[in-house]
Coordinates of all heavy atoms in Angstrom, one line a residue:
M1 N 0.8 -1.2 0.0 CA 0.0 0.1 0.0 C 0.8 1.2 0.1 O 0.7 2.1 -0.9 CB -0.9 0.0 1.2 CG -1.9 1.0 1.3 SD -3.2 0.5 2.5 CE -3.6 2.1 3.0
F2 N 1.7 1.4 1.0 CA 2.7 2.6 1.1 C 4.0 2.2 0.6 O 4.5 1.1 1.0 CB 2.8 3.1 2.5 CG 1.7 3.9 3.0 CD1 0.7 3.2 3.9 CD2 1.3 5.1 2.4 CE1 -0.3 3.9 4.3 CE2 0.1 5.7 2.9 CZ -0.6 5.1 3.8
S3 N 4.7 3.0 -0.2 CA 5.9 2.7 -0.6 C 6.8 2.9 0.5 O 6.9 3.9 1.2 CB 6.3 3.6 -1.8 OG 7.6 3.6 -2.2
P4 N 8.0 2.0 0.5 CA 9.0 2.3 1.6 C 9.7 3.6 1.4 O 10.3 4.2 2.4 CB 9.9 1.1 1.4 CG 9.2 0.2 0.5 CD 8.2 0.8 -0.3
L5 N 9.8 4.1 0.3 CA 10.5 5.4 -0.2 C 9.8 6.6 0.5 O 10.2 7.7 0.7 CB 10.7 5.4 -1.6 CG 11.6 6.6 -2.2 CD1 13.0 6.4 -1.6 CD2 11.5 6.6 -3.6
L6 N 8.5 6.3 0.7 CA 7.7 7.5 1.3 C 8.0 8.0 2.6 O 7.8 9.2 2.9 CB 6.0 7.0 1.3 CG 5.0 8.1 1.4 CD1 5.1 9.2 0.3 CD2 3.6 7.5 1.4
I7 N 8.4 7.1 3.5 CA 8.7 7.4 4.9 C 9.9 8.5 4.8 O 9.8 9.4 5.6 CB 9.1 6.2 5.7 CG1 7.7 5.4 5.9 CG2 9.6 6.6 7.1 CD1 7.9 4.1 6.4
P8 N 11.0 8.2 4.3 CA 12.1 9.1 4.3 C 11.8 10.4 3.6 O 12.1 11.5 4.1 CB 13.3 8.4 3.6 CG 12.8 7.1 3.2 CD 11.5 6.9 3.5
I9 N 11.1 10.4 2.6 CA 10.6 11.6 1.8 C 9.8 12.4 2.7 O 10.1 13.7 2.9 CB 9.7 11.3 0.6 CG1 10.7 10.7 -0.5 CG2 9.2 12.6 0.0 CD1 10.1 10.3 -1.8
L10 N 8.8 11.9 3.5 CA 8.0 12.6 4.5 C 8.8 13.1 5.7 O 8.7 14.2 6.2 CB 6.9 11.7 5.1 CG 5.7 11.4 4.2 CD1 4.7 10.3 4.8 CD2 4.9 12.7 3.8
G11 N 9.9 12.3 6.1 CA 10.6 12.8 7.1 C 11.6 14.0 6.7 O 11.6 15.0 7.4
I12 N 12.0 13.9 5.6 CA 12.9 15.1 5.0 C 11.8 16.3 4.8 O 12.3 17.4 5.0 CB 13.6 14.6 3.7 CG1 14.7 13.8 4.1 CG2 14.1 15.9 2.9 CD1 15.2 12.9 2.9
S13 N 10.6 16.0 4.3 CA 9.7 17.1 4.0 C 9.4 17.8 5.2 O 9.4 19.1 5.4 CB 8.6 16.6 3.3 OG 8.9 16.1 2.1
C14 N 9.2 17.0 6.4 CA 8.8 17.7 7.5 C 10.0 18.7 8.2 O 9.8 19.7 8.6 CB 8.5 16.6 8.6 SG 6.9 15.8 8.3
G15 N 11.2 18.1 8.1 CA 12.3 18.8 8.4 C 12.5 20.0 7.6 O 12.8 21.2 8.2
L16 N 12.3 20.1 6.2 CA 12.5 21.2 5.5 C 11.4 22.2 5.8 O 11.6 23.5 5.8 CB 12.4 20.8 4.0 CG 13.7 20.1 3.5 CD1 13.4 19.7 2.0 CD2 14.8 20.9 3.6
L17 N 10.2 21.7 6.0 CA 9.1 22.7 6.5 C 9.5 23.3 7.8 O 9.0 24.5 8.0 CB 7.8 21.7 6.6 CG 6.5 22.5 6.7 CD1 6.2 23.5 5.5 CD2 5.4 21.6 6.9
A18 N 9.9 22.6 8.7 CA 10.3 23.2 10.1 C 11.4 24.3 9.7 O 11.3 25.4 10.5 CB 10.8 22.2 11.0
I19 N 12.4 24.0 8.9 CA 13.3 25.0 8.7 C 12.8 26.3 7.9 O 13.2 27.3 8.3 CB 14.5 24.3 7.9 CG1 15.4 23.3 8.7 CG2 15.4 25.5 7.4 CD1 16.2 22.4 7.9
F20 N 12.0 25.9 7.0 CA 11.4 27.2 6.2 C 10.6 27.9 7.2 O 10.5 29.2 7.1 CB 10.5 26.5 5.1 CG 9.7 27.5 4.3 CD1 10.4 28.4 3.5 CD2 8.4 27.9 4.6 CE1 9.7 29.2 2.6 CE2 7.8 28.7 3.9 CZ 8.3 29.5 2.9
G21 N 9.8 27.4 8.1 CA 8.9 28.0 9.0 C 9.9 28.9 10.0 O 9.5 30.1 10.3
G22 N 11.0 28.3 10.4 CA 11.8 29.0 11.2 C 12.7 30.1 10.5 O 12.9 31.3 11.1
V23 N 12.9 30.1 9.4 CA 13.7 31.1 8.6 C 12.9 32.1 7.9 O 13.2 33.2 7.9 CB 14.6 30.2 7.5 CG1 15.4 31.2 6.6 CG2 15.6 29.4 8.3
V24 N 11.7 31.7 7.4 CA 10.9 32.5 6.5 C 9.5 33.0 7.3 O 9.4 34.3 7.5 CB 10.6 32.0 5.3 CG1 9.5 32.9 4.4 CG2 11.8 31.6 4.4
V25 N 8.9 32.2 7.8 CA 7.6 32.5 8.4 C 7.6 33.2 9.7 O 7.1 34.2 9.9 CB 6.7 31.2 8.6 CG1 5.4 31.6 9.2 CG2 6.5 30.5 7.2
R26 N 8.4 32.8 10.7 CA 8.6 33.5 11.9 C 9.0 34.9 11.8 O 8.4 35.8 12.3 CB 9.5 32.6 12.8 CG 9.6 33.2 14.3 CD 10.5 32.6 15.2 NE 9.9 31.0 15.2 CZ 10.7 30.1 15.8 NH1 11.8 30.2 16.3 NH2 10.2 28.9 15.9
P27 N 10.2 35.2 11.1 CA 10.5 36.6 10.9 C 9.5 37.5 10.2 O 9.2 38.6 10.6 CB 11.8 36.5 9.9 CG 12.3 35.2 10.2 CD 11.3 34.3 10.5
W28 N 8.7 36.8 9.2 CA 7.7 37.6 8.7 C 6.5 38.0 9.5 O 6.0 39.0 9.5 CB 7.1 36.8 7.3 CG 6.0 37.4 6.7 CD1 6.2 38.4 5.7 CD2 4.7 37.2 6.8 NE1 5.0 38.8 5.3 CE2 4.0 38.1 6.0 CE3 3.8 36.4 7.5 CZ2 2.6 38.2 5.7 CZ3 2.3 36.4 7.5 CH2 1.8 37.4 6.5
L29 N 6.2 36.9 10.5 CA 5.2 37.2 11.4 C 5.7 38.3 12.4 O 4.9 39.2 12.9 CB 4.8 35.9 12.2 CG 4.0 34.9 11.4 CD1 3.8 33.6 12.2 CD2 2.7 35.5 11.0
R30 N 7.0 38.3 12.8 CA 7.6 39.3 13.6 C 7.5 40.8 13.0 O 7.0 41.7 13.6 CB 8.9 39.0 14.1 CG 9.0 38.0 15.1 CD 10.5 38.1 15.8 NE 10.8 36.6 16.0 CZ 11.9 36.1 15.7 NH1 12.8 36.6 14.9 NH2 12.1 34.9 16.0
F31 N 7.8 40.7 11.7 CA 7.7 42.0 11.0 C 6.3 42.6 10.9 O 6.1 43.7 11.2 CB 8.2 41.7 9.5 CG 7.9 42.9 8.6 CD1 8.7 44.1 8.7 CD2 6.9 42.8 7.6 CE1 8.5 45.1 7.8 CE2 6.7 43.9 6.8 CZ 7.5 45.1 6.9
Q32 N 5.3 41.7 10.6 CA 3.9 42.0 10.6 C 3.5 42.6 12.0 O 2.7 43.6 12.0 CB 3.0 40.9 10.1 CG 3.3 40.5 8.7 CD 3.0 41.6 7.7 OE1 2.0 42.4 7.8 NE2 3.8 41.6 6.6
E33 N 3.9 41.9 13.0 CA 3.4 42.4 14.4 C 4.0 43.8 14.7 O 3.5 44.7 15.2 CB 3.9 41.4 15.4 CG 3.6 41.7 16.8 CD 4.2 40.8 17.8 OE1 4.7 39.7 17.3 OE2 4.0 40.8 19.0
R34 N 5.3 44.0 14.2 CA 5.9 45.2 14.5 C 5.3 46.3 13.6 O 5.2 47.4 14.1 CB 7.5 45.2 14.2 CG 8.2 46.5 14.3 CD 8.3 46.8 15.9 NE 9.0 48.2 16.0 CZ 8.7 49.1 16.7 NH1 7.6 49.0 17.4 NH2 9.3 50.1 16.7
K35 N 5.0 46.0 12.5 CA 4.2 46.9 11.5 C 3.0 47.4 12.1 O 2.6 48.6 12.2 CB 4.0 46.2 10.1 CG 3.4 47.1 9.2 CD 3.2 46.3 7.8 CE 2.1 46.9 7.0 NZ 2.0 46.1 5.8
L36 N 2.2 46.5 12.8 CA 1.0 46.9 13.5 C 1.3 47.7 14.6 O 0.4 48.6 14.8 CB 0.1 45.6 13.8 CG -0.4 44.7 12.6 CD1 -1.1 43.5 13.1 CD2 -1.4 45.6 11.9
E37 N 2.3 47.5 15.3 CA 2.5 48.3 16.6 C 2.9 49.7 16.1 O 2.4 50.7 16.7 CB 3.8 47.6 17.4 CG 3.4 46.4 18.1 CD 4.6 45.8 18.6 OE1 5.8 46.3 18.4 OE2 4.6 44.7 19.3
V38 N 3.7 49.8 15.1 CA 4.1 51.3 14.6 C 2.9 51.9 14.1 O 2.6 53.1 14.4 CB 5.1 51.1 13.4 CG1 5.2 52.4 12.7 CG2 6.4 50.6 14.1
E39 N 1.9 51.2 13.3 CA 0.7 51.8 12.8 C -0.3 52.3 14.0 O -0.8 53.3 13.9 CB -0.1 50.9 11.9 CG 0.6 50.8 10.6 CD 0.1 49.7 9.6 OE1 -1.0 49.0 10.1 OE2 0.4 49.5 8.6
A40 N -0.2 51.5 15.0 CA -1.1 51.8 16.1 C -0.5 53.0 16.8 O -1.2 53.8 17.3 CB -1.1 50.7 17.2
D41 N 0.8 53.2 17.1 CA 1.4 54.3 17.6 C 1.2 55.7 16.8 O 0.8 56.7 17.2 CB 3.0 54.2 17.6 CG 3.4 53.1 18.8 OD1 2.4 52.9 19.7 OD2 4.4 52.7 18.7
L42 N 1.2 55.4 15.5 CA 0.9 56.6 14.6 C -0.6 56.9 14.7 O -0.8 58.1 14.8 CB 1.1 56.1 13.1 CG 1.0 57.2 12.1 CD1 1.8 58.5 12.2 CD2 1.1 56.5 10.6
M43 N -1.5 56.0 14.8 CA -2.9 56.3 14.9 C -3.2 57.0 16.3 O -3.9 58.0 16.5 CB -3.8 55.1 14.9 CG -3.7 54.4 13.4 SD -4.2 55.6 12.2 CE -6.0 55.6 12.5
R44 N -2.5 56.6 17.4 CA -2.6 57.2 18.8 C -2.0 58.6 18.6 O -2.7 59.5 19.2 CB -1.8 56.4 19.7 CG -2.6 55.4 20.4 CD -1.8 54.7 21.6 NE -0.6 54.0 21.3 CZ -0.6 52.8 21.0 NH1 -1.7 52.1 20.9 NH2 0.5 52.3 20.6
S45 N -0.9 58.9 17.9 CA -0.4 60.3 18.0 C -1.4 61.2 17.0 O -1.6 62.3 17.4 CB 1.0 60.2 17.3 OG 1.1 59.8 15.9
R46 N -1.8 60.7 16.0 CA -2.9 61.4 15.2 C -4.2 61.7 16.1 O -4.7 62.8 15.8 CB -3.2 60.6 13.9 CG -2.2 60.7 12.8 CD -2.8 59.9 11.5 NE -1.6 59.8 10.5 CZ -1.8 59.0 9.5 NH1 -2.9 58.3 9.4 NH2 -0.9 59.1 8.6
A47 N -4.6 60.7 16.8 CA -5.8 61.0 17.7 C -5.5 62.0 18.6 O -6.4 62.8 18.9 CB -6.3 59.7 18.3
T48 N -4.2 62.0 19.2 CA -3.9 63.1 20.1 C -3.9 64.4 19.6 O -4.4 65.4 20.0 CB -2.4 62.7 20.7 OG1 -2.6 61.5 21.4 CG2 -2.1 63.8 21.8
L49 N -3.3 64.6 18.3 CA -3.4 65.8 17.7 C -4.7 66.3 17.2 O -5.0 67.4 17.3 CB -2.5 65.7 16.4 CG -1.0 65.6 16.7 CD1 -0.2 65.3 15.2 CD2 -0.4 66.8 17.2
D50 N -5.5 65.4 16.8 CA -6.9 65.6 16.5 C -7.6 66.1 17.6 O -8.4 67.1 17.6 CB -7.5 64.5 15.7 CG -7.1 64.2 14.4 OD1 -6.4 65.2 13.7 OD2 -7.3 63.1 13.9
A51 N -7.4 65.5 18.8 CA -8.2 65.9 20.0 C -7.7 67.3 20.4 O -8.5 68.1 20.7 CB -7.9 64.9 21.1
A52 N -6.4 67.7 20.3 CA -5.9 68.9 20.7 C -6.5 70.0 19.6 O -6.9 71.1 20.1 CB -4.4 69.0 20.6
R53 N -6.5 69.7 18.4 CA -7.1 70.6 17.4 C -8.6 70.9 17.7 O -9.1 72.0 17.7 CB -6.9 69.9 16.1 CG -7.3 70.9 14.9 CD -6.9 70.4 13.5 NE -5.5 70.1 13.5 CZ -5.0 68.9 13.0 NH1 -5.8 68.0 12.6 NH2 -3.6 68.7 12.9
H54 N -9.2 69.7 17.9 CA -10.7 69.8 18.3 C -10.8 70.8 19.5 O -11.8 71.6 19.5 CB -11.2 68.5 18.5 CG -12.6 68.5 18.8 ND1 -13.7 68.6 17.8 CD2 -13.4 68.3 20.1 CE1 -14.9 68.5 18.4 NE2 -14.7 68.4 19.7
E55 N -10.1 70.6 20.5 CA -10.1 71.4 21.7 C -10.0 72.9 21.4 O -10.7 73.7 21.9 CB -9.2 70.9 22.8 CG -9.3 71.7 24.0 CD -10.5 71.7 24.8 OE1 -11.2 70.6 24.8 OE2 -10.9 72.7 25.5
R56 N -9.0 73.2 20.6 CA -8.7 74.6 20.2 C -9.9 75.1 19.4 O -10.3 76.3 19.6 CB -7.4 74.7 19.3 CG -6.1 74.5 20.2 CD -4.9 75.0 19.3 NE -4.9 74.4 18.0 CZ -4.3 73.2 17.8 NH1 -3.5 72.5 18.8 NH2 -4.1 72.8 16.7
L57 N -10.5 74.3 18.6 CA -11.6 74.8 17.8 C -12.7 75.1 18.7 O -13.5 76.1 18.5 CB -12.0 73.9 16.7 CG -11.0 73.9 15.5 CD1 -11.3 72.8 14.5 CD2 -11.0 75.1 14.7
E58 N -13.0 74.2 19.6 CA -14.2 74.5 20.5 C -13.9 75.9 21.4 O -14.8 76.6 21.6 CB -14.2 73.3 21.6 CG -14.9 72.1 20.9 CD -15.2 71.0 22.0 OE1 -14.7 71.1 23.1 OE2 -16.0 70.1 21.6
Q59 N -12.7 76.0 21.7 CA -12.4 77.3 22.5 C -12.7 78.5 21.5 O -13.1 79.5 22.0 CB -10.9 77.2 22.9 CG -10.7 76.3 24.2 CD -9.2 76.2 24.5 OE1 -8.4 76.7 23.8 NE2 -9.0 75.3 25.6
R60 N -12.2 78.4 20.3 CA -12.4 79.6 19.4 C -13.9 79.7 19.2 O -14.3 80.9 19.1 CB -11.7 79.2 18.1 CG -10.1 79.2 18.2 CD -9.4 78.9 17.0 NE -9.6 80.1 16.1 CZ -9.1 80.1 14.9 NH1 -8.5 79.0 14.4 NH2 -9.1 81.1 14.0
V61 N -14.6 78.7 19.0 CA -16.0 78.8 18.8 C -16.7 79.5 20.1 O -17.6 80.3 20.0 CB -16.8 77.5 18.5 CG1 -18.2 77.5 18.6 CG2 -16.3 77.1 17.1
A62 N -16.3 79.1 21.2 CA -16.8 79.6 22.4 C -16.6 81.1 22.5 O -17.4 81.9 22.9 CB -16.2 78.9 23.8
V63 N -15.3 81.6 22.1 CA -15.0 82.9 22.2 C -15.9 83.6 21.1 O -16.4 84.8 21.4 CB -13.5 83.2 21.8 CG1 -13.2 84.6 21.5 CG2 -12.6 82.7 23.0
L64 N -16.1 83.1 19.9 CA -16.9 83.7 18.9 C -18.3 83.9 19.4 O -19.0 84.8 19.2 CB -16.7 83.0 17.6 CG -15.6 83.1 16.9 CD1 -15.4 82.2 15.7 CD2 -15.2 84.4 16.5
E65 N -18.8 82.9 20.1 CA -20.2 83.0 20.6 C -20.3 84.0 21.6 O -21.3 84.8 21.6 CB -20.6 81.5 21.1 CG -20.9 80.5 20.1 CD -21.1 79.2 20.8 OE1 -20.7 78.9 22.0 OE2 -21.6 78.3 20.1
R66 N -19.3 84.1 22.5 CA -19.3 85.2 23.5 C -19.3 86.6 22.8 O -20.0 87.4 23.2 CB -18.1 85.0 24.4 CG -18.4 85.3 25.9 CD -17.4 84.9 26.8 NE -16.0 84.9 26.2 CZ -15.3 83.7 26.2 NH1 -15.6 82.7 27.0 NH2 -14.0 83.8 25.7
I67 N -18.5 86.6 21.8 CA -18.5 88.1 21.1 C -19.7 88.3 20.5 O -20.3 89.4 20.5 CB -17.3 88.0 20.1 CG1 -15.9 88.0 20.8 CG2 -17.4 89.3 19.0 CD1 -14.7 87.7 19.8
I68 N -20.3 87.4 19.8 CA -21.6 87.6 19.1 C -22.7 87.9 20.2 O -23.4 88.9 19.9 CB -22.0 86.4 18.3 CG1 -21.1 86.1 17.1 CG2 -23.4 86.5 17.7 CD1 -20.9 87.2 16.1
T69 N -22.8 87.2 21.2 CA -23.9 87.5 22.2 C -23.7 88.6 22.9 O -24.5 89.5 23.1 CB -24.1 86.3 23.1 OG1 -22.9 85.9 23.8 CG2 -24.6 85.0 22.3
D70 N -22.4 89.0 23.4 CA -22.2 90.2 24.0 C -22.3 91.4 23.2 O -22.9 92.4 23.7 CB -20.7 90.2 24.6 CG -20.6 89.1 25.7 OD1 -21.6 88.6 26.2 OD2 -19.4 89.0 26.2
R71 N -21.8 91.3 22.0 CA -21.9 92.5 21.1 C -23.3 92.6 20.4 O -23.7 93.6 19.9 CB -20.8 92.7 20.2 CG -19.5 92.5 20.8 CD -18.3 93.0 19.9 NE -18.5 94.5 19.5 CZ -18.1 94.9 18.4 NH1 -17.3 94.2 17.7 NH2 -18.1 96.3 18.1
G72 N -24.0 91.5 20.3 CA -25.3 91.4 19.7 C -26.2 92.3 20.4 O -27.0 93.1 19.7
M73 N -26.3 92.4 21.6 CA -27.2 93.2 22.4 C -26.9 94.8 22.2 O -27.8 95.5 21.9 CB -27.3 92.9 23.9 CG -27.8 91.5 24.2 SD -29.5 91.2 23.5 CE -30.5 92.2 24.6
G74 N -25.6 95.1 22.3 CA -25.2 96.3 22.0 C -25.4 96.8 20.6 O -25.7 98.0 20.3
L75 N -25.2 95.9 19.7 CA -25.5 96.3 18.4 C -26.9 96.4 18.1 O -27.3 97.4 17.4 CB -25.0 95.1 17.4 CG -24.9 95.3 16.0 CD1 -24.1 96.4 15.6 CD2 -24.5 93.9 15.2
A76 N -27.7 95.7 18.6 CA -29.3 95.9 18.4 C -29.6 97.3 19.1 O -30.5 98.0 18.4 CB -30.0 94.8 19.2
D77 N -29.1 97.6 20.2 CA -29.4 98.9 20.8 C -28.9 100.1 19.9 O -29.6 101.1 19.7 CB -28.8 99.1 22.2 CG -29.4 98.2 23.2 OD1 -30.6 97.7 22.9 OD2 -28.8 97.9 24.2
E78 N -27.8 99.9 19.3 CA -27.0 100.9 18.4 C -28.0 101.0 17.2 O -28.3 102.2 16.7 CB -25.8 100.4 18.1 CG -24.9 101.6 17.7 CD -23.3 101.1 17.5 OE1 -22.9 100.3 18.4 OE2 -22.8 101.5 16.4
I79 N -28.4 99.9 16.6 CA -29.3 100.0 15.4 C -30.7 100.8 15.7 O -31.0 101.6 15.0 CB -29.6 98.6 14.9 CG1 -28.3 97.9 14.3 CG2 -30.7 98.6 13.9 CD1 -28.3 96.5 13.8
E80 N -31.2 100.3 16.9 CA -32.5 101.1 17.2 C -32.3 102.6 17.4 O -33.1 103.4 17.1 CB -33.0 100.5 18.5 CG -33.6 99.1 18.4 CD -34.7 99.2 17.5 OE1 -35.5 100.1 17.3 OE2 -34.7 98.1 16.6
R81 N -31.1 102.8 18.1 CA -30.8 104.5 18.3 C -30.6 105.1 16.8 O -31.1 106.2 16.6 CB -29.4 104.6 18.9 CG -29.6 104.6 20.6 CD -28.4 105.0 21.1 NE -27.4 104.1 20.7 CZ -26.7 103.4 21.7 NH1 -26.8 103.5 23.0 NH2 -25.7 102.5 21.3
L82 N -29.9 104.4 15.9 CA -29.9 105.0 14.6 C -31.1 105.1 13.8 O -31.3 106.1 13.0 CB -28.9 104.1 13.8 CG -27.4 104.1 14.1 CD1 -26.7 103.1 13.3 CD2 -26.9 105.6 13.8
R83 N -32.2 104.2 14.1 CA -33.4 104.3 13.5 C -34.2 105.5 14.1 O -35.1 106.2 13.3 CB -34.3 103.1 13.8 CG -33.9 101.9 13.0 CD -34.7 100.8 13.2 NE -34.3 99.6 12.3 CZ -34.6 98.4 12.7 NH1 -35.3 98.0 13.7 NH2 -34.1 97.4 12.0
D84 N -34.0 105.7 15.4 CA -34.7 107.0 16.0 C -34.0 108.3 15.6 O -34.7 109.2 15.8 CB -34.5 106.7 17.6 CG -35.4 105.5 18.0 OD1 -36.3 105.1 17.2 OD2 -35.1 105.1 19.1
T85 N -32.8 108.3 15.1 CA -32.2 109.5 14.7 C -32.8 110.0 13.5 O -32.8 109.2 12.4 CB -30.7 109.4 14.6 OG1 -30.1 108.7 15.8 CG2 -29.8 110.5 14.3
P86 N -33.1 111.3 13.4 CA -33.7 111.7 12.1 C -32.5 112.0 11.0 O -31.5 112.3 11.4 CB -34.2 113.1 12.5 CG -33.7 113.5 14.0 CD -33.2 112.2 14.4
L87 N -33.0 111.7 9.8 CA -32.0 112.0 8.8 C -32.0 113.4 8.4 O -32.9 114.1 8.4 CB -32.5 111.1 7.5 CG -32.4 109.6 7.7 CD1 -32.9 108.9 6.5 CD2 -31.0 109.1 8.0
N88 N -30.8 113.9 8.0 CA -30.7 115.3 7.6 C -31.0 115.5 6.2 O -30.9 115.0 5.3 CB -29.2 115.7 8.0 CG -29.0 115.8 9.5 OD1 -30.0 116.0 10.1 ND2 -27.7 115.7 9.8

């Protein structure tokens, strides 16, 4: 049923497969893992920058809202005074 030559061929093939796995596959897996770590670090730094930028924009919008609401009442009063002033 099985050829006697098949046993040494399978033994050599298993050895070659183990060597191939240690020389090629393991370093490739380490490289992929390191690549994912670097990408995760990059994404974390981008998220930090985006959060800081978002915070600055929120502060600027708050200042603009304060300017609009504070000056808005004074502006409305000023417009009303101009309407009441007779034209020459």
Side-chain angles (χ1 to χ4, degrees):
M1 186 160 146
F2 288 107
S3 170
L5 189 60
L6 190 60
I7 293 173
I9 290 175
L10 285 175
I12 292 171
S13 296
C14 287
L16 289 176
L17 188 61
I19 292 170
F20 179 77
V23 172
V24 175
V25 175
R26 187 178 300 167
W28 181 79
L29 288 174
R30 277 194 220 130
F31 170 75
Q32 292 299 323
E33 183 179 353
R34 180 67 182 134
K35 181 177 159 186
L36 288 174
E37 289 172 359
V38 168
E39 288 175 357
D41 288 342
L42 180 63
M43 294 302 285
R44 271 193 291 275
S45 65
R46 283 183 184 169
T48 302
L49 289 174
D50 287 344
R53 187 175 300 130
H54 182 76
E55 179 65 30
R56 283 194 311 269
L57 286 175
E58 281 185 351
Q59 290 172 354
R60 292 178 73 183
V61 167
V63 168
L64 290 174
E65 287 174 344
R66 220 175 16 243
I67 291 171
I68 295 295
T69 55
D70 291 349
R71 297 197 72 200
M73 294 304 286
L75 186 60
D77 293 339
E78 203 173 317
I79 290 172
E80 289 302 318
R81 274 189 302 235
L82 289 172
R83 283 188 185 152
D84 295 339
T85 306
L87 296 175
N88 292 332

